[in-house]
Amino acid sequence: MTATSANAIVNVRSGTGARRSKGWSSRTESTLRIVAPISFGLIVLVIWQLLVTVGGVDDYLLPSPTSIVAELVEFWPAVVSATVLTGTNSLLGLLIGSLVGIVLAAIAARWRIADQMSAPIVAALAVVPIVALAPVLNSMFGADSQFGRQAIAAIASFVPIFINTLRGFRQTKPVHRDLMKAYAANSGQMLRSLTLPTARPFILTGIRIASSLAVISALVAEYFGGPRGGLGSLIATSAASSAYSRAWAYVGASIALGLLFYLATLALERLVLRRVPTGGAR
């Protein structure tokens, strides 16, 4: 047995001993990952309620959780309708941004000139201010069109997906590319059999990051004109009419929508990587 193997066995045993010393099984740790954030959230809500009721915080500064829940129950149909509308815009933007980002990343990884041409465009899109772009697109496509909001969500999703996908495409080892060329594989076969499987974890990570950005961008875009009915526009309307508890109820729905997108893409990532092993490419 080599010294390296002996050290590895010692490290494994010491790690196992450390876990056993804590007295936590893997199932207990998984349960704690769920229970701990929920418990922390409940503690925050209790402190929040006490600050408003006992501390005497004005309702227009910080509505209590009970008043927010009451508004949420009273306006539940409007909350659901607005959530569906904003979620649809976010989903369409995420799908379009993902498709365009993956295709352009494949082109940039294949041809250096395309990579050099796309770099300044991607950098510009990464810093484009949504608050300035939203009213422009809403004016361009009309007050009754949702396309401007979907386009903003697509732009916000495109950047992280493009960057992560391009990085994943560059993870293929030269020896593997040379082997594919030795077998007379064309560009399409190399993409399907080597480059794309290697980049799969990076693509899924980019989509997971972009999912939250798509929701945020769609919400911000709804503040600046366009058709009414989305969560962003209802938050602005409620705050302008001094219905602060109702505005916070719509904010809560927005948070739930963002978490739904994030958890859905996280579940997709784990499902794909579990069914299709990456072979340690990551």
Side-chain angles (χ1 to χ4, degrees):
M1 180 182 295
T2 63
T4 304
S5 301
N7 292 333
I9 293 175
V10 170
N11 291 334
V12 170
R13 288 179 176 175
S14 62
T16 305
R19 174 172 292 182
R20 288 177 179 175
S21 64
K22 293 180 180 179
W24 291 349
S25 63
S26 58
R27 185 173 184 178
T28 303
E29 291 181 353
S30 300
T31 304
L32 284 175
R33 291 192 187 101
I34 300 175
V35 174
I38 295 177
S39 301
F40 179 76
L42 292 176
I43 293 173
V44 171
L45 290 176
V46 171
I47 296 174
W48 182 353
Q49 182 69 34
L50 292 175
L51 284 175
V52 176
T53 55
V54 179
V57 179
D58 293 331
D59 187 68
Y60 71 90
L61 291 177
L62 186 65
S64 65
T66 53
S67 62
I68 295 174
V69 171
E71 292 288 332
L72 184 63
V73 172
E74 181 178 355
F75 293 91
W76 180 251
V79 171
V80 173
S81 177
T83 304
V84 170
L85 180 59
T86 303
T88 302
N89 291 334
S90 304
L91 180 60
L92 290 175
L94 179 61
L95 293 176
I96 295 172
S98 300
L99 179 61
V100 175
I102 294 172
V103 171
L104 291 184
I107 296 174
R110 179 64 177 83
W111 292 286
R112 178 176 293 273
I113 183 64
D115 185 16
Q116 294 174 347
M117 292 174 61
S118 62
I121 299 176
V122 174
L125 292 176
V127 298
V128 62
I130 299 176
V131 294
L133 186 61
V136 174
L137 293 180
N138 288 331
S139 300
M140 288 176 58
F141 297 103
D144 297 329
S145 175
Q146 298 284 353
F147 182 79
R149 298 167 179 178
Q150 297 165 4
I152 291 174
I155 292 173
S157 304
F158 165 79
V159 176
I161 293 173
F162 175 86
I163 294 175
N164 280 273
T165 302
L166 183 59
R167 182 185 177 189
F169 283 155
R170 290 172 174 169
Q171 299 300 309
T172 55
K173 298 180 180 180
V175 63
H176 295 161
R177 292 195 296 267
D178 294 339
L179 182 62
M180 293 291 291
K181 292 178 181 178
Y183 282 104
N186 55 37
S187 300
Q189 292 172 333
M190 190 175 298
L191 176 66
R192 293 191 304 270
S193 303
L194 177 62
T195 310
L196 194 58
T198 304
R200 186 182 293 115
F202 296 87
I203 297 174
L204 294 172
T205 299
I207 294 175
R208 174 163 50 85
I209 296 172
S211 63
S212 300
L213 295 177
V215 175
I216 294 172
S217 302
L219 283 167
V220 173
E222 290 172 350
Y223 278 89
F224 304 97
R228 313 297 294 177
L231 287 172
S233 59
L234 291 180
I235 292 173
T237 302
S238 300
S241 59
S242 300
Y244 300 109
S245 298
R246 193 182 313 162
W248 275 90
Y250 292 125
V251 170
S254 304
I255 295 173
L257 179 63
L259 288 175
L260 176 63
F261 269 63
Y262 180 82
L263 293 176
T265 52
L266 178 62
L268 174 64
E269 180 181 10
R270 292 185 175 181
L271 178 63
V272 172
L273 295 183
R274 184 181 301 146
R275 289 190 174 183
V276 186
T278 58
R282 203 169 193 176

